Amino acid sequence: MIDEIKTVARRHLAADGANLSLRAVARDMGMVSSALYRYFPSRDDLLTALIIDAYNTLGDAVEAADGGIEERDDLRRRWFAVGRAIRRWALAQPSEYALIFGSPVPGYQAPRETAFAAGRTPVVLLRIIAGAPEKALDTPGPVARDLAAVVATLDIDISPTQLARGSVAWIHLFGAVSFELFGQLNNVIEARDEYFDLQLDLMADLVGLS
Amino acid sequence: MIDEIKTVARRHLAADGANLSLRAVARDMGMVSSALYRYFPSRDDLLTALIIDAYNTLGDAVEAADGGIEERDDLRRRWFAVGRAIRRWALAQPSEYALIFGSPVPGYQAPRETAFAAGRTPVVLLRIIAGAPEKALDTPGPVARDLAAVVATLDIDISPTQLARGSVAWIHLFGAVSFELFGQLNNVIEARDEYFDLQLDLMADLVGLS
DNA sequence: TGTACATCAGTGAACGCGCGTTCACTGATGTAC
DNA sequence: TGTACATCAGTGAACGCGCGTTCACTGATGTAC
C-alpha cells in the first residue's frame, strides 16, 4: 500500500514538479485524502520517503553499472559505465533527479536519514578514482583539511589528491546532467549522448584515469 | 511602479522559492491583488520579467568583472574574475540564480524573449576562451556539427575546439555554483571560496588558458 | 458451528487557509476650453 | 479663474479552484471462545 502511494506520488512529481499534492495523489488512487494519513504522518514524510527512494534507486543503478564491468582494473571503463548510468537514470526519472539535485523545495528541510542513501553514488565514484595513479594537485590548506575530514568518514583508501580531483569530477558530472536536464542545452546541442561522453572523457582525464 | 513590484517580488522569491504569489506581493505593497494587473497581465509575465532581469543583472556583473581587468591579454585572470563574479552574484541572489538555472518552474515555459539576455554571460566567457591557444580535442562528428551551428550565430572568432572546451568549462562552472548553492556541499566542504578557486583553476587548464 | 468482540482501512465533512483572475466601481489627478 | 470632462491607479467583492490536516464515524475482516 505504501508502495502504491509512492508510485502514484512519483507519477505526480513527474507531472507537476516538486509541488506534490497529497490530495491529488489520493484522488488518483480513488481514495479520500485523509486516508493517506494512515500511511504517512504528513506530506513532508511522504516527500522524505520519495527522496530516500530516489537516492537508493540511483545508488542501485550506479552500483549495478559499476559491478557489470568484468575488468575491474579498467577504471576508465568503470567511470564511463557509472557516468552514463547516472545520466540514464536522471533522464528516465527527471523529477526524482530534480528532487534530490535540483533547487531545494521551499519550506522543506531534508532530515538526517537521507544522508546514507545520498552517499551511495559518490562512494562508487570514489572507489573507482581511488585506483587512479597519483596526479599532483596544489590543494589550498583549508580545502585539504575539509577533504581530510571527509576521507576519515569514508571506508575507502583514497589519497587527498585523488579525493580533490574526484570530488571536482563528481561536481562536473552533476553539472553536465543538470545542465541538460534543466533545459540549458535546448537549441544548442542536439547530439546529447556524444556530448556527454565527451565530457566524461575530459573528466576521466582530470582525475587521471587511464 | 513596475520596478517596485519587481523588487518586492524578488524579495518573495528569496523567501519562498519559485512559488511566487501575486497576492503575497500585493499584500506586501499594501495593495489589493487585482491592482497588479494594471502592470502585469498575468503572474507568468511577472515571472518572465524577473527572469530577464536576472539574466541581465548577472550579465552586467559578469561584463563589469571582465572589463575591470586592465591586462586584456591575461586571459586566465579574466577567467577568474568572471568565474568569481558569477559565483558572487549567485550567492548574493540565490533565488534568482535558481530561477534561471535551477529546476524548471512547473507549468512555466520561458518565452523566446529571454534568449538574448541569457546569452550575455556565456558570450563573455567565450570571448575570453577565444584567445586561448589551440588545444586539440577529439570532438565526435554530431557534436562538432552542433557546435559549428552555434559558432555561426555568434559574433566571436572562436575555433570549434575552443568552443567545445569552453562550453564544457561553462557547464562545469555552472555545476560548481549550483552544487554549492543547492546545498550539496553542506557538511562536506567549508572552505568554499578556496574550493571554488581550485575548480576555476582546473577549468582554466581544461580550456588551455595560460 | 456460531456468536461477541476487537482491529483497522477508509470515509466524509469540516476548518482555515491559500491562490490567479475578472469586473464593475470609486475617486483623485490632470487637461481643455 | 472656473467648470466639464477624460484618464487611470487602485478597490473590493466575487468566482472557482486548490491545499494540508483533524476528527468522529462506518463497516468489513479477522480472532477468540
Side-chain angles (χ1 to χ4, degrees), chain A residues 10-203:
Chain A
R10 267 187 279 270
R11 209 157 55 217
H12 274 269
L13 271 188
D16 311 328
N19 293 343
L20 183 65
S21 145
L22 272 191
R23 289 186 107 112
V25 171
R27 219 179 294 130
D28 250 39
M29 300 185 64
M31 290 171 87
V32 98
S33 67
S34 49
L36 296 188
Y37 284 82
R38 196 159 297 278
Y39 304 98
F40 293 95
S42 78
R43 192 198 85 123
D44 278 8
D45 289 275
L46 173 54
L47 215 48
T48 299
L50 293 175
I51 287 174
I52 293 179
D53 279 10
Y55 276 126
N56 277 326
T57 57
L58 172 60
D60 289 345
V62 163
E63 286 169 11
D66 181 40
I69 304 298
E70 299 286 327
E71 307 81 349
R72 305 304 292 161
D73 291 342
D74 192 341
L75 299 179
R76 200 169 180 105
R77 198 157 158 192
R78 285 170 65 192
W79 169 261
F80 263 78
V82 165
R84 286 173 175 162
I86 292 173
R87 173 166 176 265
R88 204 177 314 119
W89 184 87
L91 291 177
Q93 27 268 320
S95 42
E96 287 176 77
Y97 179 88
L99 195 58
I100 57 183
F101 291 117
S103 356
V105 179
Y108 174 82
Q109 174 71 11
R112 277 261 171 238
E113 323 137 48
T114 59
F116 174 76
R120 288 178 57 191
T121 296
V123 160
V124 172
L125 291 170
L126 293 179
R127 277 193 204 286
I128 297 173
I129 291 161
E134 206 61 35
K135 194 174 169 188
L137 180 66
D138 185 18
T139 314
V143 174
R145 270 189 291 281
D146 286 344
L147 292 174
V150 172
V151 173
T153 68
L154 293 174
D155 188 24
I156 306 180
D157 185 19
I158 190 168
S159 79
T161 307
Q162 285 169 331
L163 180 58
R165 288 185 176 274
S167 65
V168 171
W170 164 227
I171 289 175
H172 184 174
L173 186 49
F174 150 85
V177 173
S178 297
F179 206 80
E180 175 175 356
L181 217 67
F182 296 166
Q184 306 282 343
L185 239 41
N186 294 349
N187 307 316
V188 181
I189 301 286
E190 303 307 330
R192 310 259 162 109
D193 292 352
E194 293 87 346
Y195 189 65
F196 185 75
D197 276 0
L198 174 67
Q199 294 190 78
L200 281 183
D201 218 53
L202 290 166
M203 293 174 215

Side-chain angles (χ1 to χ4, degrees), chain B residues 91-180:
Chain B
L91 291 177
Q93 28 269 319
S95 42
E96 287 175 77
Y97 179 88
L99 196 58
I100 55 183
F101 292 116
S103 357
V105 179
Y108 174 83
Q109 175 72 10
R112 277 262 170 237
E113 322 137 50
T114 59
F116 175 75
R120 289 177 57 192
T121 296
V123 160
V124 172
L125 290 170
L126 293 179
R127 277 193 204 287
I128 297 173
I129 290 162
E134 205 61 35
K135 196 174 165 189
L137 181 67
D138 185 19
T139 314
V143 174
R145 270 189 290 281
D146 285 342
L147 292 175
V150 172
V151 173
T153 69
L154 293 175
D155 187 23
I156 306 179
D157 185 21
I158 190 169
S159 79
T161 309
Q162 285 169 330
L163 180 61
R165 288 185 178 273
S167 65
V168 170
W170 163 230
I171 289 175
H172 184 174
L173 185 50
F174 150 85
V177 173
S178 298
F179 206 80
E180 174 175 357

Side-chain angles (χ1 to χ4, degrees), chain B residues 10 61 81-82 116 183 200 206:
Chain B
R10 268 187 278 270
V82 165
F116 175 75
L200 281 183
L206 171 72

